[in-house]
Amino acid sequence: MADTVLITGGAGFIGRHLAQALLDRGDQVRVLDSLIEQVHPTRERPAELASDVELITGDVRDEAAVLRALKGVDKVVHLAAEVGVGQSMYAVARYTSVNDYGAAVLFQQLIDNPVERVVVASSMSIYGEGLYRTRDGELREDVVRGGRNPDGSWDPLDERGRPMLPVPTPETKGNGLKSVYAIGKFVQERLTLTLTKQYGMAGSALRLWNAYGPGQALSNPYTGVLAIFASRIANGQAPMVFEDGQQRRDFVHVRDVARAFLLALDAAAADGEVFNIGSGEERTVEEVARLQAAAMGRPDLTPEIAGKARAGDIRHCIPDLAKAQGVLGYRAREDFADGLAELAEWVARQEAEDRGVEARKELEMRGLVA
Ligand code: UD1
């Protein structure tokens, strides 16, 4: 049966793809979004937001706007958030207000206006460092990265000074909140699971890995490394890679992320659960920088290795996707090479203003790149 779904923050990158996927299967979609300047430079309705979506321009911290947005809604996807890890380490009040208090206002209104189900976008950042294995095969789940090792390497070391290897991180790993952003995502996740249960709604959280794809804000230099690299490459600049570029992530196409939300909105067994969502393929940041420059026709722009780390960043984290597969039936479908080609084609149609230098200055000024 068709549902009416409210997507908070739905004018953003993930929200627009999700809105389209919901419309395609016959649901009605309403979006509540404040169109912040960092993501929406003109503050206008984005052309890529499907025209059948009802847009309410408003802030998730504004009770009246939330109340209006909830009228007649069956299910909610909560995406509204500030999303830069490095930026969260100095814009503390703003991140805490939007991410923590914003979720609180949403749930305050949901108590009197309950829906069937709430799915929140949580994040791999909840884990801090992912799960590691020592050379002796022991698993370590409480790894805390120091700075750079005395020999110049970056991988976390065991007690005997030997580098450890990242292994897929399951949902059962404890949290290790390393940034204000991660703290906010944890709060959003816990509010969702605690209050949906208390008030008779179903609730789930998707811990997303690094989403990429067409539509990711090229104007926002604070997050989304592929969008950041894309604006540099489009402006003839080499991608600037933090640390030694060997940090590992899982890049998941935004259409796979949208599919994961559809599954979580439907599956009865998703209630009360958290799920890792990624592609199942791990890559180093340097590798993706090279692949992306090649996909954009500029293989000559070889990555510039900064040799410095960004505050709040973790070294490695890759997902164990067994639970998402087993409970939701989730499996990523998009191919990475095709995804990069599609992204390159989309970027070629945009005017990419490279604001990365500005963003790095902001971090450096505050001693947050070292
Ligand atoms: C973070 C969060 C993730 C969140 C996402 C969206 C963590 C561990 N992860 O991902 O949960 O959903 O942000 O905000 O907190 N990099 C460069 N050069 C650049 C920019 C980034 O080398 O110009 C590197 C970063 O140092 C990092 C990687 O690329 O190692 C990915 O960065 P980014 O896209 O910002 O996402 P994460 O920090 O991994």
Side-chain angles (χ1 to χ4, degrees):
M1 233 208 18
D3 288 317
T4 298
V5 181
L6 169 67
I7 312 175
T8 68
F13 167 50
I14 295 176
R16 296 196 301 261
H17 283 272
L18 174 58
Q20 189 60 57
L22 288 163
L23 291 170
D24 288 347
R25 68 177 200 177
D27 289 330
Q28 307 254 42
V29 182
R30 183 180 298 151
V31 158
L32 172 68
D33 200 300
S34 60
L35 302 176
I36 61 167
E37 201 263 351
Q38 189 167 310
V39 177
H40 307 275
T42 63
R43 307 217 54 206
E44 281 159 12
R45 180 182 175 120
E48 286 159 318
L49 180 64
S51 54
D52 290 344
V53 170
E54 179 194 351
L55 172 65
I56 298 181
T57 307
D59 197 300
V60 72
R61 292 165 294 181
D62 174 352
E63 281 175 23
V66 171
L67 191 59
R68 194 148 67 89
L70 282 174
K71 284 270 172 318
V73 162
D74 302 301
K75 296 176 178 175
V76 173
V77 176
H78 183 43
L79 302 182
E82 295 279 357
V83 293
V85 173
Q87 192 180 40
S88 78
M89 298 301 278
Y90 62 87
V92 179
R94 167 148 71 100
Y95 272 71
T96 304
S97 174
V98 174
N99 295 359
D100 304 40
Y101 180 65
V105 171
L106 171 64
F107 276 99
Q108 192 68 57
Q109 297 308 315
L110 279 167
I111 290 176
D112 294 327
N113 303 275
V115 293
E116 264 172 55
R117 185 178 288 257
V118 181
V119 182
V120 66
S122 181
S123 159
M124 47 95 89
S125 64
I126 300 265
Y127 296 117
E129 287 294 334
L131 191 63
Y132 283 82
R133 191 170 36 217
T134 66
R135 291 230 178 123
D136 303 325
E138 279 174 43
L139 290 179
R140 291 289 157 79
E141 71 153 65
D142 51 1
V143 172
V144 176
R145 83 183 293 184
R148 197 172 186 167
N149 300 319
D151 68 355
S153 64
W154 294 89
D155 283 344
L157 306 175
D158 67 10
E159 313 71 47
R160 295 172 57 191
R162 299 171 308 178
M164 294 185 282
L165 279 178
V167 293
T169 300
E171 290 84 350
T172 48
K173 182 189 154 331
N175 63 63
L177 311 171
K178 293 289 176 292
S179 62
V180 175
Y181 172 77
I183 295 168
K185 282 288 155 187
F186 187 67
V187 168
Q188 291 189 345
E189 185 179 289
R190 293 300 114 182
L191 284 176
T192 301
L193 297 185
T194 306
L195 292 167
T196 49
K197 186 159 192 265
Q198 183 65 43
Y199 292 98
M201 299 176 267
S204 317
L206 302 186
R207 295 177 172 171
L208 306 181
W209 254 258
N210 299 69
Y212 79 98
Q216 193 163 26
L218 296 174
S219 58
N220 183 359
Y222 297 97
T223 194
V225 69
L226 287 187
I228 295 170
F229 288 167
S231 17
R232 281 188 70 86
I233 297 164
N235 286 287
Q237 307 273 343
M240 200 276 297
V241 175
F242 289 120
E243 304 169 31
D244 59 355
Q246 299 311 301
Q247 61 271 42
R248 292 184 167 273
R249 297 287 190 278
D250 177 306
F251 292 89
V252 57
H253 194 287
V254 64
R255 279 195 296 272
D256 283 325
V257 172
R259 278 184 204 111
F261 275 102
L262 297 189
L263 293 167
L265 281 167
D266 291 345
D271 183 21
E273 300 291 337
V274 301
F275 300 95
N276 289 340
I277 299 297
S279 72
E281 289 177 14
E282 55 173 292
R283 295 172 199 281
T284 69
V285 172
E286 187 198 9
E287 178 194 352
V288 302
R290 282 183 197 285
L291 291 173
Q292 196 178 12
M296 290 177 69
R298 293 300 307 264
D300 55 307
L301 296 176
T302 49
E304 174 199 320
I305 307 293
K308 290 179 175 179
R310 192 174 63 173
D313 268 359
I314 51 114
R315 176 65 176 167
H316 301 296
C317 194
I318 51 179
D320 182 330
L321 299 173
K323 183 176 174 189
Q325 197 176 320
V327 179
L328 298 178
Y330 167 80
R331 201 188 272 273
R333 290 191 203 155
E334 306 287 336
D335 173 78
F336 190 65
D338 293 347
L340 282 186
E342 180 192 18
L343 181 60
E345 200 235 313
W346 179 79
V347 172
R349 286 185 272 118
Q350 314 298 312
E351 253 182 60
E353 184 194 350
D354 180 12
R355 291 164 75 183
V357 174
E358 196 185 306
R360 188 167 164 189
K361 273 203 199 113
E362 291 265 5
L363 293 174
E364 280 172 349
M365 234 163 56
R366 297 173 167 87
L368 295 173
V369 181

